[in-house]
Amino acid sequence: MRRNALLSALAVATSLSCIGGAAAKPLAFTGIRLIDGLSAEPVADAVLVVDGDRIVAAGPRMAVAVPSDAEIRERPGHTIMPGLISDHSHVGIVRGVDIGAWNYTRENILAQLEAYTARGVTTIMALGLNGAIMPEIRNEAHAGLIPDADLFGVDRGIGVPDGGPPQAMVRVSPDQLFRPANADEGRDAVRAMKARGTDMVKLWLDDFGGSVPAKMQPSVYAAVIDEAHRLGLRVAAHVHDLEDARAVVRAGADVLAHGVRDKPVDPSRC
């Protein structure tokens, strides 16, 4: 049995969202389809046993000893799997199809974390465009005070004056995005993000198909990456074009937040 791979990582991929706080007695889900994150294939007719807020056993029915006092919940046709991770989300700035700073509210963020959880996503990385309430909600999520997906995030993120991300598209307030004009301001932005406990640094290197007049200059993104690494932070770069991706990786970026979308990528030149 590979129970360690499942500890504290339960997500229910169907409507099986019935595990809440600590149970009075063990709870055994039987007849399930189990994806444990290690096996090559899902385990059919499996059993998963929860005691309090811990998964204590998981595997094929014949291999799992169910405690005699356990409550049995037979769930054929349901799947249980480790929680999914979304490593590039933007919580709060969208409500329905509307985008803007006015959507960045506690109510909207919590509703979105709840929606993610209902779909088996238990950890979220909010990759930029976050407002002043982000640290508070993130800390509550880490402490288990919010009964939904855990939340990590980039503080504001670093864009370009008159450039990406286009204000006409994202419509964020000044406290949701830095737009440094030079390398020194880029370093200042990183230090401000670090002071608020950001989990990463995000920058935008893209002219959005020529729809904005400016793209982040190499001196700025090099300074941002250098300062972030000096402070122990990784850097994610929004890119679109192949040459930008190559340039920002050469400068030390740790993550490309999008794939290349302007031309085919020659694997031999990556």
Side-chain angles (χ1 to χ4, degrees), residues 193-232:
M193 293 167 69
K194 173 69 173 181
R196 281 191 292 273
T198 191
D199 294 302
M200 291 184 72
V201 170
K202 165 78 173 288
L203 64 83
W204 280 261
L205 179 57
D206 187 3
D207 66 1
F208 290 80
S211 64
V212 293
K215 184 184 291 188
M216 185 175 290
Q217 293 300 302
S219 61
V220 176
Y221 63 72
V224 166
I225 293 168
D226 179 70
E227 189 68 17
H229 288 173
R230 189 184 70 82
L231 296 174

Side-chain angles (χ1 to χ4, degrees), residues 19-40:
I19 298 178
K25 57 184 179 179
L27 183 61
F29 295 97
T30 61
I32 62 172
R33 180 176 182 261
L34 177 67
I35 299 174
D36 63 10
L38 292 176
S39 303

Side-chain angles (χ1 to χ4, degrees), residues 123-210:
T123 305
I124 304 295
M125 169 62 83
L127 210 57
L129 308 178
N130 296 300
I133 60 175
M134 171 69 182
E136 174 186 335
I137 296 176
R138 178 187 56 194
N139 291 343
E140 290 179 20
H142 288 355
L145 301 177
I146 295 171
D148 293 305
D150 200 0
L151 179 64
F152 295 81
V154 169
D155 179 65
R156 300 180 187 180
I158 299 176
V160 183
D162 299 319
Q167 179 63 17
M169 178 178 74
V170 296
R171 296 186 287 182
V172 294
S173 62
D175 73 346
Q176 290 177 268
L177 184 65
F178 290 104
R179 294 188 186 271
N182 54 52
D184 287 342
E185 290 183 6
R187 290 182 184 275
D188 288 343
V190 174
R191 288 192 288 267
M193 293 167 69
K194 173 69 173 181
R196 281 191 292 273
T198 191
D199 294 302
M200 291 184 72
V201 170
K202 165 78 173 288
L203 64 83
W204 280 261
L205 179 57
D206 187 3
D207 66 1
F208 290 80

